[in-house]
Amino acid sequence: MDNISDLIRTGRRELGLSTRSLASLAGVSYPTISRIENGHEQPRLDTLEKIAAALGKSLGTIFEPFPMIRLCDLADQWKYDAAGEAQPDWTQWRVFADQLTLRPFLTAAAIAPAPAPSGSEFIDNLLAGTAEKLADDIGIPKPSWARRVPPLRTPWRALGTPRMRADHAASTPPQFADRNITLPATSIWRDREMALV
């Protein structure tokens, strides 16, 4: 029992989650998480599976990493275009976002690891803005690594006509706008039905 308690507590702390945040992500009551972590309650298997999944783990061989794409895996998923601008592999970003649309309980585990510096100020800000948006969307603390990425000095805007750019500005998540990135959320996030396709 102590081993499970320690694994849960350690996993929660590694992701920077409070006990209440973990409870919310796992769909388990806060007192239950607290009692399990303190060794006062033996969790049922279904409860343990929910907690493990919220920590980005599976119960295959107790608490193995859950197969997923993490945000840090996208740090090298970009290249320079003909104009010398950094361009993310938008397909990989959408796959990452779709995974969390379908399994929001993986969010904390997917955004917690700090990505290596990408070599592009824009990509670093896109990573940080994405992490901040995802954390805000589910009500967990923003990862500390994201707060250390300074906003872009020169604004970045998605291509388009003046009218399209105005529409982009209106639908840019505030976490991107705070980083001087004008990019509509629909460039990355799709609704649940589209993510299933």
Side-chain angles (χ1 to χ4, degrees):
M1 179 64 168
D2 288 340
N3 191 27
I4 291 174
S5 300
D6 291 341
L7 287 169
I8 292 171
R9 185 180 307 104
T10 299
R12 177 178 61 76
R13 288 178 178 164
E14 285 174 354
L15 296 177
L17 295 174
S18 68
T19 307
R20 288 189 191 280
S21 295
L22 176 58
S24 176
L25 287 171
V28 175
S29 74
Y30 163 75
T32 298
I33 297 285
S34 180
R35 287 191 303 269
I36 292 169
E37 278 195 7
N38 290 314
H40 300 301
E41 182 174 320
Q42 178 86 22
R44 294 186 331 235
L45 183 58
D46 65 325
T47 301
L48 191 54
E49 286 174 335
K50 290 177 186 178
I51 295 168
L55 295 171
K57 311 286 184 178
S58 70
L59 293 180
T61 33
I62 196 98
F63 286 77
E64 282 186 359
F66 196 91
M68 74 172 123
I69 300 170
R70 298 169 307 160
L71 187 59
C72 64
D73 299 330
L74 300 178
D76 62 357
Q77 299 294 310
W78 66 280
K79 61 184 176 184
Y80 287 110
D81 64 14
E85 298 288 325
Q87 289 298 321
D89 180 340
W90 293 111
T91 301
Q92 289 300 314
W93 284 77
R94 287 184 197 102
V95 168
F96 169 77
D98 286 351
Q99 154 192 272
L100 298 181
T101 296
L102 298 173
R103 296 180 187 92
F105 57 84
L106 292 176
T107 301
I111 66 174
S118 70
S120 163
E121 186 180 5
F122 167 62
I123 298 297
D124 291 344
N125 271 276
L126 187 60
L127 290 162
T130 299
E132 292 166 339
K133 179 187 181 316
L134 290 166
D136 288 346
D137 286 351
I138 63 168
I140 62 172
K142 296 174 184 175
S144 58
W145 66 262
R147 292 190 296 265
R148 292 190 297 266
V149 177
L152 288 173
R153 291 170 279 166
T154 304
W156 184 94
R157 291 180 184 84
L159 297 175
T161 65
R163 180 174 173 97
M164 288 170 68
R165 285 187 172 191
D167 290 344
H168 292 167
S171 60
T172 293
Q175 298 85 352
F176 286 180
D178 291 347
R179 295 185 163 281
N180 289 321
I181 296 174
T182 303
L183 180 71
T186 55
S187 293
I188 299 174
W189 289 275
R190 303 184 293 174
D191 61 29
R192 183 176 175 80
E193 289 71 33
M194 289 298 296
L196 289 168
V197 176

